[in-house]
Amino acid sequence: MNKIIKLFIILTAALLLAWLLPLSYQFIFSKPFESPLTLYSPVKHDFLRFEFQKEDIGGYDMDGNSYTMAEFDSLMPTVNYFQLNRDGRLPKEVDGVPFNLKKVEHSNFAFRSFPRNYNYARAALYQLVDGATIKDGLRVPDHVFRMTGKGLEFILMENNAIDKELSERFTSALLGQGFVFPAKYLDYDDNMEKKYDNGFLMIDQKGGLFQLKRVGEQPVCRHIALPDSIHLTHTFVTEYKDRKLLGFLRDEEGGFYALETNLSLHKLPIPAFDPEKDQMIISGDMLYWNVIRETSKYEFIAAIDANDYHLVKTMESHFPTFGWEKTRDWIFPFRMDFTSGTDRFMKPRLSGFSWEAILLNSLLAMGWFFLQKRLRRHSRHSGSSGLLESAGILVAGWFLFIPLLLTIHK
């Protein structure tokens, strides 16, 4: 029994060290790194990088030339229009287009998609706001609904009672448009300060795209026809000031589309995008959209014409591997983490497996084997041969070597 307890303690300590040692190493030796914000300039017709650390410099171009704050504001007028307006330096036109301050303000938008927004356990309950109340300020609905295999089921939040009449009304409206229950995927904007409501964009069991809204107690829904070659997996509802977009769509091959309110569909000229793994930000204005797609290893930036969605310019940069990261691979054979930047789950997970650490692990295993041999020579008891523990150290390195060393006389 004592041997079992001792083994349990050693293995538990090894797992904790697999978490704490790499974490402590990273905390001590790592330095913060953030990819500089890079956007396309409609004046210079090239990408520019913002500078937020130096008060006298606004940013840099791709050749490394620096610009003062005032110069940089003029090079990025659709971003820094507020400062230009306050200084009385608004341009009359940019890129051949009249520079209308109101139009600039209304056309600017930012779309953000992060893996953590999709990789988590969530209750499949949704609120369908009443679009008729927006002028008076959106109110939190009295009902939530859930999707079943037969239709929508509205539940009164006050007492958890099912509103059969409302459920049948909205279910019949969707069925009338050809919707096949249950939905494969659906999305909506839960911002209660929005000025209008685009409702839900839903993908049914056959891959059809539908929009569902609520006006008073009445459903407003429609089937949005798409080419047969497009098989959707995700929808992203948008509600920006200019009301140009209904949302974004993603197909099973990673293609990303802009769906306008007039139902015209435009595929964006960017690499395949997986919202559950990749991060993407779209910063748009009346002239260009900047699409920043980021993975764990590199960043891809595309400037896209806001009017016809053609590709204007791209750039790609790989994130650097720092010295402390390279050294870590020689010290630790793997790491155990409980959290991740790509999901919201709290669970043990192994990552960072490194063959480089086998050299140090071999030295530790040999050291343990000869230590056990020496102890047996000076001990009255035969003791362990150390082969099994050495094999474990060859795999786990410091994580197992330290607990074994601390219990050597126990």
Side-chain angles (χ1 to χ4, degrees):
M1 180 61 70
N2 289 337
K3 289 184 177 180
I4 295 176
I5 294 175
K6 181 179 177 180
L7 178 62
F8 175 77
I9 293 174
I10 290 174
L11 293 178
T12 302
L15 289 174
L16 289 174
L17 287 174
W19 169 49
L20 291 173
L21 285 181
L23 185 65
S24 300
Y25 174 86
Q26 180 175 345
F27 178 78
I28 294 171
F29 295 103
S30 67
K31 295 181 180 180
F33 170 77
E34 187 173 352
S35 178
L37 176 60
T38 305
L39 299 177
Y40 186 77
S41 168
V43 176
K44 196 173 178 60
H45 294 107
D46 198 0
F47 291 107
L48 298 180
R49 287 178 171 167
F50 287 70
E51 172 61 61
F52 299 106
Q53 303 299 323
K54 300 177 181 179
E55 295 183 0
D56 56 334
I57 296 179
Y60 302 87
D61 60 23
M62 293 299 99
D63 295 324
N65 301 312
S66 63
Y67 298 90
T68 65
M69 295 291 291
E71 291 172 337
F72 200 76
D73 290 341
S74 296
L75 292 175
M76 304 294 294
T78 55
V79 176
N80 300 322
Y81 62 88
F82 179 80
Q83 185 64 43
L84 290 172
N85 184 48
R86 191 170 68 174
D87 295 344
R89 298 190 295 120
L90 282 175
K92 292 183 179 181
E93 67 174 40
V94 176
D95 208 11
V97 178
F99 194 86
N100 182 285
L101 185 60
K102 184 176 181 180
K103 184 177 181 180
V104 171
E105 290 179 325
H106 277 261
S107 63
N108 281 15
F109 73 89
F111 168 82
R112 299 176 179 87
S113 176
F114 303 101
R116 289 173 59 86
N117 296 343
Y118 307 98
N119 299 322
Y120 70 97
R122 48 186 166 179
L125 296 173
Y126 310 95
Q127 292 183 333
L128 189 57
V129 301
D130 181 2
T133 68
I134 288 183
K135 291 183 179 180
D136 302 323
L138 279 175
R139 296 190 295 270
V140 177
D142 298 327
H143 297 78
V144 295
F145 76 85
R146 60 190 173 196
M147 183 77 63
T148 71
K150 297 181 178 180
L152 299 184
E153 200 168 64
F154 282 83
I155 304 168
L156 188 63
M157 288 188 284
E158 182 180 10
N159 54 16
N160 289 332
I162 296 176
D163 190 325
K164 293 185 178 180
E165 182 180 351
L166 197 63
S167 301
E168 292 175 358
R169 186 181 306 149
F170 278 79
T171 298
S172 297
L174 281 171
L175 289 174
Q177 292 293 318
F179 192 92
V180 180
F181 289 94
K184 285 185 177 180
Y185 192 87
L186 54 87
D187 183 66
Y188 71 110
D189 183 359
D190 59 2
N191 178 18
M192 297 303 293
E193 297 181 359
K194 58 190 177 182
K195 302 302 181 182
Y196 68 101
D197 178 49
N198 273 335
F200 281 75
L201 285 177
M202 301 179 173
I203 304 172
D204 75 349
Q205 278 296 303
K206 289 189 175 181
L209 179 64
F210 296 81
Q211 183 188 23
L212 176 65
K213 298 170 63 176
R214 176 179 178 176
V215 179
E217 297 298 308
Q218 299 302 318
V220 177
C221 62
R222 59 178 171 173
H223 173 237
I224 301 173
L226 298 175
D228 294 337
S229 59
I230 298 178
H231 305 284
L232 298 179
T233 59
H234 293 77
T235 61
F236 310 84
V237 173
T238 61
E239 289 157 347
Y240 302 131
K241 289 182 180 180
D242 64 357
R243 305 194 181 205
K244 178 182 178 180
L245 292 177
L246 185 59
F248 293 107
L249 309 173
R250 188 255 183 189
D251 66 23
E252 62 184 8
E253 296 180 354
F256 201 71
Y257 303 81
L259 178 65
E260 296 187 357
T261 52
N262 61 8
L263 302 188
S264 61
L265 189 66
H266 306 273
K267 186 175 183 179
L268 301 188
I270 61 174
F273 168 65
D274 185 348
E276 296 179 6
K277 296 180 181 179
D278 308 329
Q279 172 181 314
M280 186 159 72
I281 297 175
I282 302 178
S283 175
D285 56 49
M286 67 178 189
L287 298 174
Y288 300 99
W289 288 8
N290 291 273
V291 181
I292 305 173
R293 178 182 169 275
E294 183 178 305
T295 68
S296 60
K297 296 183 179 180
Y298 77 99
E299 180 181 67
F300 172 87
I301 304 177
I304 298 173
D305 189 286
N307 296 307
D308 60 12
Y309 303 96
H310 80 267
L311 186 64
V312 177
K313 198 177 184 70
T314 64
M315 68 170 291
E316 183 175 331
S317 58
H318 290 262
F319 297 141
T321 300
F322 298 99
W324 69 269
E325 293 179 296
K326 296 178 180 179
T327 304
R328 181 181 60 184
D329 291 339
W330 289 89
I331 299 175
F332 305 117
F334 57 85
R335 305 187 302 274
M336 186 174 75
D337 299 302
F338 289 93
T339 59
S340 171
T342 59
D343 63 49
R344 302 184 189 181
F345 298 110
M346 176 72 74
K347 60 182 181 181
R349 61 192 92 198
L350 297 179
S351 62
F353 293 94
S354 171
W355 285 105
E356 287 89 345
I358 195 69
L359 176 61
L360 179 59
N361 290 4
S362 300
L363 294 176
L364 292 174
M366 290 172 59
W368 176 260
F369 178 77
F370 287 116
L371 178 61
Q372 289 297 302
K373 186 175 181 180
R374 180 179 179 183
L375 290 175
R376 288 198 311 274
R377 187 182 306 158
H378 296 284
S379 174
R380 296 179 180 179
H381 306 283
S382 60
S384 171
S385 66
L387 286 174
L388 184 61
E389 295 92 334
S390 296
I393 293 172
L394 189 62
V395 175
W398 290 108
F399 309 143
L400 185 59
F401 180 80
I402 293 175
L404 286 173
L405 194 63
L406 293 176
T407 58
I408 196 169
H409 296 299
K410 300 299 182 182

